[in-house]
Amino acid sequence: MLRAVDERDAYANLLLPGLLRERGIGGRDAAFATELAYGTLRGLGTYDEIIATCSDRPLRKMDPPLLDALRLGAHQLLRTRVPAHAAVSATVDLVRRRVGQGPAKFANAVLRKIAARDLDAWLDVLAPDAGRDPVGHLAVVHSHPEWIVSALRDAVGAGEIDDLLAADNARPRVTLVARPGLAEVDELVAAGAEPGEFSPYAAYLPEGDPGDIPAVREGRAAVQDEASQLVALALARVPVEGDDRAWLDMCAGPGGKAGLLGAVAAGRGARVLGADLQFHRARMAGRAARGPAIVADGAVPAWRAGAFDRVIVDAPCTGLGALRRRPESRWRRDPASVAELTPVQRRLLESGLDAVRPGGVVAYVTCSPHLAETRVVVSDVAEARGDVEVLDAREYLPEVTGLGPGPYAQFWPHRHGTDAMFLALLRRTAG
Ligand SMILES: C[S@@+](CC[C@H](N)C(=O)[O-])C[C@H]1O[C@@H](n2cnc3c(N)ncnc32)[C@H](O)[C@@H]1O
């Protein structure tokens, strides 16, 4: 998996389940393999610093499979309970088989040096001084690129950045949604889940494969982060006068929020139209929402202006709020991705406001807390138009505290155990 992520930009969370199945790895072995793979990818920034110190060769001159094996070995030595001799010999064997005899000797020497200290001792030696270079310090200690540390610190504040970065490195719990009218939380609890803390439709699955649960297999329930559930529910909770039957999910694929909104809408005699730029994503959204879905560029509307009563714009974003789930993504993005995405986000929000009738509501959502993708987009667009009332999104999430200063709602992994989803609720006024 490490090689696939490096060589062909594979997504770990999409690739790993197939690899485990193909090799017949299940149960505790699968959990261990997942922890090794994800942990190595998350910790890569820290491990590379340590490997560089223990090697007389610069990392960029190392054969990539050898470097990946060293990272995997470093992870076992520094963050797992695998005995040091086993971590070293398993890694050296791997290098011997996959890379060669000479590199195996080299790996043996590097790993023995790494094993000479525990992680805290290495961090004491290698991390820049926290007083002089706080961002550099956090970047090495929590294995995040410096630009992400800075962006997240701007969003969460200096007081909580340490906890947030630590939460990004913890394994996220598996959360299920019981789609209302189709499944009950009780049904998921009977299958081994525990009721969720915030969303009335959420349940946590402490172990086991969600695909083994009949309601999930049948699409009546699904895997969905609790904050994703709540931002969709908040949109459905805002009172709207008059007609309330036409809802639009403008960036619907693969259908997580559309699935929940579709179920809520069905209970009220309303319908959700799903739209996505990509065909297969639109199709998945239609299936999840049990309703119509079209392939469309949300910024070039395929619908009449003012045609909808509720619109959700779950905009494409950097995903900096979901780093727990996509262990490799922090190393793939760079600040240029923010600059590329924000104009698209603005256009989509503009278009969402055009698509909703006066009196209707738009939810603008990102799974990134980056200020440029969240507050700045919303306030720029709202200020430039004369027909937008910014609602206090927190009022529609009364079961959750700690959502920030408002009027937006910002979830956090370290506070809520969810992804760092951002929600703005905007009512279109007569203008
Ligand atoms: C954050 S994801 C949406 C996740 C989805 N709402 C869910 O809950 O499962 C963003 C989606 O926007 C789609 N997208 C990107 N640009 C778009 C555009 N201009 N118009 C419509 N969809 C777009 C992407 O294909 C992607 O599926």
Side-chain angles (χ1 to χ4, degrees), residues 4-271:
V5 166
D6 181 39
E7 276 174 341
R8 52 187 164 89
D9 278 352
Y11 291 97
N13 62 337
L14 300 183
L15 186 71
L16 192 62
L19 286 178
L20 295 173
R21 222 175 302 122
E22 205 180 287
R23 287 160 169 72
I25 302 172
R28 290 178 59 187
D29 287 342
F32 183 56
T34 305
E35 145 55 30
L36 287 184
Y38 276 40
T40 301
L41 285 174
R42 288 196 193 100
L44 194 140
T46 308
Y47 303 148
D48 281 3
E49 293 280 338
I50 298 172
I51 294 167
T53 307
C54 295
S55 155
D56 50 9
R57 220 182 289 171
L59 298 195
R60 64 190 153 72
K61 294 229 166 122
M62 275 183 206
D63 201 7
L66 169 64
L67 178 56
D68 269 344
L70 290 175
R71 291 164 170 167
L72 186 59
H75 177 64
Q76 290 176 69
L77 286 169
L78 301 173
R79 276 220 182 83
T80 72
R81 273 180 268 153
V82 175
H85 64 87
V88 173
S89 71
T91 310
V92 170
D93 276 354
L94 180 66
V95 175
R96 187 174 300 117
R97 273 184 287 122
R98 297 294 290 269
V99 194
Q101 182 62 37
K105 273 197 184 146
F106 172 77
N108 188 42
V110 172
L111 290 166
R112 282 174 189 283
K113 283 191 200 159
I114 296 175
R117 291 191 168 108
D118 66 12
L119 183 60
D120 286 340
W122 275 117
L123 294 177
D124 280 346
V125 179
L126 288 179
D129 178 69
R132 265 204 317 272
D133 178 6
V135 169
H137 176 83
L138 290 167
V140 173
V141 169
H142 294 294
S143 187
H144 281 62
E146 288 194 11
W147 76 273
I148 294 184
V149 174
S150 298
L152 293 177
R153 192 183 56 168
D154 289 346
V156 78
E160 288 182 44
I161 183 65
D162 213 31
D163 291 345
L164 171 60
L165 298 175
D168 276 349
N169 289 336
R171 188 158 55 101
R173 62 187 166 205
V174 175
T175 307
L176 305 174
V177 59
R179 292 180 172 150
L182 299 170
E184 301 282 339
V185 167
D186 284 351
E187 185 181 348
L188 302 178
V189 170
E194 295 153 9
E197 195 181 340
F198 307 112
S199 159
Y201 306 120
Y204 308 135
L205 191 64
E207 56 185 3
D209 182 349
D212 292 341
I213 300 176
V216 174
R217 262 202 319 270
E218 291 155 17
R220 296 182 294 109
V223 175
Q224 185 176 37
D225 182 68
E226 207 168 5
S228 290
Q229 300 179 29
L230 288 162
V231 293
L233 285 177
L235 171 66
R237 285 172 177 171
V238 180
V240 159
E241 274 182 26
D243 274 354
D244 188 15
R245 278 173 303 176
W247 300 6
L248 171 68
D249 186 340
M250 198 191 260
C251 302
K257 294 176 195 72
L260 179 52
L261 282 173
V264 173
R268 296 195 204 164
R271 283 228 309 177

